[in-house]
Amino acid sequence: MGNSTVYDYTILPDLWQLMDNVTENETEESGDWYENFVEPCQFTFCSNFVGTIPVFLGITCLLGIVGNVALGVALAKCPRFWDRCQPGKVELALLAIGGLIFASTLPFFALGIRWRWAFEDRVCQAIHGLKFGSLFAGGLLAAGTACRNPWGPPKQLLPALLWTMGFVCAIPAALVSSSDGLCIPPRLAELHAWSFVHATSCLVILALLPVIVVSATACLAGCGERGRPRWNISWVFYLFWAPYGVAVFVEMFQKEIFFSQSCRFLDHLNSFLRLSEGWGMLHCYLSPFFILGLGFYRRKTA
């Protein structure tokens, strides 16, 4: 009817290329990668627990501060008693400081979930660096208490080196953090390598390191009694954080090779990641309470 319209199909390839470029630019500029996920998948964990997560973080923060301050006071009031414990008071003091730092970062995430992230990028990077730095420091410190070689560094120097190394390993976690909408690691191409380094650090320090230490010390004579690792209360750390280390790496591995495109699998993986992180957070106050309880028990029996 009327004049017929003639379409020039030769311009379609250029049109599709232009649309792809626009979509790619928008995806790279957006830090909220949940809105740009390649599949129309809806993760249900945060939507189901968005009202209780800030409360959980607030309670964990309060108990973590109380527990680690109480442990610090006990170390200061009775220093001679803790000298006979394993790990020693230097390691326990560093664990308490790390737990206090971790607990102090939780209110920022609670506020971010409740009212969106209202702080700038630098604050987000600093909070992520402190959070994962305290985690990595605790993992390295717990592994360092298992084996003491007589030719190694001085007694006070080795824990300090391991504790500092934990914060150095958290630099990738700080670099991949962004405050665009919510303080989360974005999927920017230029930060891809750092994201992989961060995921690998989580797997190695939080999950594989205790296995490596146990295997190595079992083969070395003179390390502990009859070459076995010295089990102590600090190794409770791995019971809390090993699942999270595995979950972070599996999520990163899935993004790399896309071994499953099922929305149901991705939703279960996201739930496992969040649940394992929540389980690990319990460590910041349960660990000092366990240490205090064990210390008081030993003092009573002594």
Side-chain angles (χ1 to χ4, degrees):
M1 295 178 64
N3 296 332
S4 60
T5 302
V6 179
Y7 293 93
D8 186 3
Y9 291 95
T10 60
I11 67 172
L12 288 179
D14 295 335
L15 178 60
W16 290 118
Q17 181 65 32
L18 178 61
M19 294 177 64
D20 290 340
N21 292 338
V22 173
T23 304
E24 181 179 359
N25 292 334
E26 290 179 353
T27 303
E28 290 181 354
E29 292 175 0
S30 175
D32 193 356
W33 59 270
Y34 287 102
E35 298 178 359
N36 299 290
F37 198 74
V38 294
E39 282 203 5
C41 299
Q42 298 294 329
F43 295 154
T44 60
F45 180 82
C46 288
S47 61
N48 292 336
F49 299 98
V50 67
T52 58
I53 291 177
V55 178
F56 170 77
L57 294 177
I59 295 176
T60 304
C61 170
L62 178 61
L63 294 177
I65 292 176
V66 171
N68 288 284
V69 169
L71 178 58
V73 172
L75 292 172
K77 291 293 185 179
C78 306
R80 294 183 179 178
F81 170 75
W82 296 101
D83 285 337
R84 300 190 299 269
C85 296
Q86 180 65 22
K89 63 179 181 179
V90 176
E91 292 89 341
L92 293 177
L94 293 176
L95 288 175
I97 294 174
L100 188 61
I101 292 175
F102 179 85
S104 301
T105 65
L106 299 182
F108 291 91
F109 297 103
L111 293 175
I113 294 173
R114 177 69 70 177
W115 293 291
R116 307 289 289 177
W117 189 264
F119 310 98
E120 60 181 11
D121 279 346
R122 297 301 181 185
V123 178
C124 177
Q125 293 176 348
I127 295 302
H128 264 272
L130 292 175
K131 173 187 174 181
F132 285 98
S134 61
L135 288 184
F136 294 159
L140 294 175
L141 198 59
T145 60
C147 183
R148 301 279 186 83
N149 292 325
W151 57 83
K155 183 177 181 180
Q156 294 79 9
L157 182 58
L158 179 59
L161 289 176
L162 294 175
W163 195 80
T164 305
M165 184 60 64
F167 285 88
V168 174
C169 294
I171 293 178
L175 293 178
V176 301
S177 303
S178 173
S179 62
D180 187 4
L182 185 64
C183 185
I184 58 175
R187 297 183 64 188
L188 299 181
E190 59 269 22
L191 298 177
H192 173 76
W194 288 115
S195 298
F196 184 78
V197 172
H198 169 60
T200 304
S201 299
C202 289
L203 177 67
V204 173
I205 297 178
L206 303 181
L208 296 183
L209 186 58
V211 178
I212 296 174
V213 171
V214 170
S215 301
T217 52
C219 300
L220 295 175
C223 182
E225 293 183 3
R226 299 179 181 178
R228 295 178 301 196
R230 301 177 184 180
W231 305 106
N232 54 71
I233 193 63
S234 65
W235 275 60
V236 175
F237 174 89
Y238 299 115
L239 298 179
F240 286 96
W241 284 109
Y244 178 74
V246 175
V248 171
F249 188 80
V250 170
E251 184 192 40
M252 185 68 184
F253 191 68
Q254 191 279 330
K255 293 176 182 177
E256 290 295 321
I257 67 173
F258 298 100
F259 59 81
S260 176
Q261 291 296 305
S262 170
C263 286
R264 184 176 181 179
F265 171 81
L266 296 177
D267 187 31
H268 289 330
L269 178 59
N270 179 262
S271 298
F272 174 60
L273 177 64
R274 304 308 170 189
L275 288 173
S276 61
E277 185 176 11
W279 168 253
M281 288 180 181
L282 300 179
H283 172 265
C284 75
Y285 66 87
L286 288 181
S287 177
F289 288 153
F290 286 159
I291 294 174
L292 286 172
L294 182 61
F296 290 146
Y297 174 77
R298 289 178 176 176
R299 183 176 183 179
K300 183 178 179 180
T301 55

